[in-house]
Amino acid sequence: MTSNASSDKTPRLQSAVKWAFVMNWGPNIIATLLTFVLAACLGKSNYGVVGMALLYIAFVQIFLEGGLGAAIVQRLDLDPEHLDAVFWITLVFSLSLLLLTWCVSPLWAEFNHTPELQRVLNIEALSLPLQGLTVVRE
């Protein structure tokens, strides 16, 4: 009887491992493939501009994602008010990062001697509030 119970769990375990692989590696594989396509379409100089903007956005995302999502997961007694508070704090913070980026983008472009970087960075920064909306859900 024990062997039947363990054999019943094997397909579920295999399915869980497959889904864990897809959920963890899938987005990374897709992002990598899209990066290669983007690089091929844009060319070296334009892709470099996008790369500099994405570097800045990746740095800012560290501050956006740091702490509050982990605090939700680790909290034992989680009330809806906790989720609401983290949602609104993260949304306001992401909008603040968006405005800060718009203010800093001319300096970042001048520092890199790339005037077109300002426009690309301002457009990329629009993703920050969208990512802020996902912190509680994730």
Side-chain angles (χ1 to χ4, degrees):
M1 197 152 177
T2 314
S3 63
N4 284 342
S6 65
S7 66
D8 291 341
K9 292 181 182 178
T10 302
R12 288 190 288 171
L13 176 63
Q14 290 174 345
S15 177
V17 169
K18 287 178 189 174
W19 277 110
F21 179 79
V22 168
M23 296 303 291
N24 288 325
W25 286 91
N28 291 332
I29 291 170
I30 291 169
T32 302
L33 291 174
L34 290 175
T35 300
F36 283 122
V37 170
L38 185 64
C41 292
L42 292 178
K44 291 178 184 178
S45 64
N46 289 333
Y47 183 73
V49 172
V50 172
M52 285 187 280
L54 290 176
L55 176 66
Y56 174 87
I57 295 297
F59 178 72
V60 171
Q61 285 174 341
I62 293 170
F63 298 105
L64 182 61
E65 297 170 0
L68 293 177
I72 289 173
V73 172
Q74 294 177 0
R75 188 161 179 94
L76 294 176
D77 55 337
L78 189 63
D79 297 329
E81 292 83 18
H82 297 128
L83 296 174
D84 290 344
V86 170
F87 174 82
W88 288 109
I89 289 170
T90 306
L91 182 60
V92 168
F93 189 56
S94 67
L95 290 170
S96 301
L97 288 173
L98 170 67
L99 292 175
L100 177 68
T101 299
W102 282 348
C103 293
V104 170
S105 66
L107 301 172
W108 185 246
E110 184 179 331
F111 175 78
N112 288 291
H113 308 292
T114 313
E116 61 271 13
L117 178 59
Q118 179 180 355
R119 185 176 48 214
V120 174
L121 188 56
N122 288 342
I123 292 169
E124 285 290 332
L126 294 172
S127 69
L128 293 172
L130 297 174
Q131 291 171 347
L133 292 172
T134 66
V135 169
V136 172
R137 182 191 59 81
E138 288 177 358

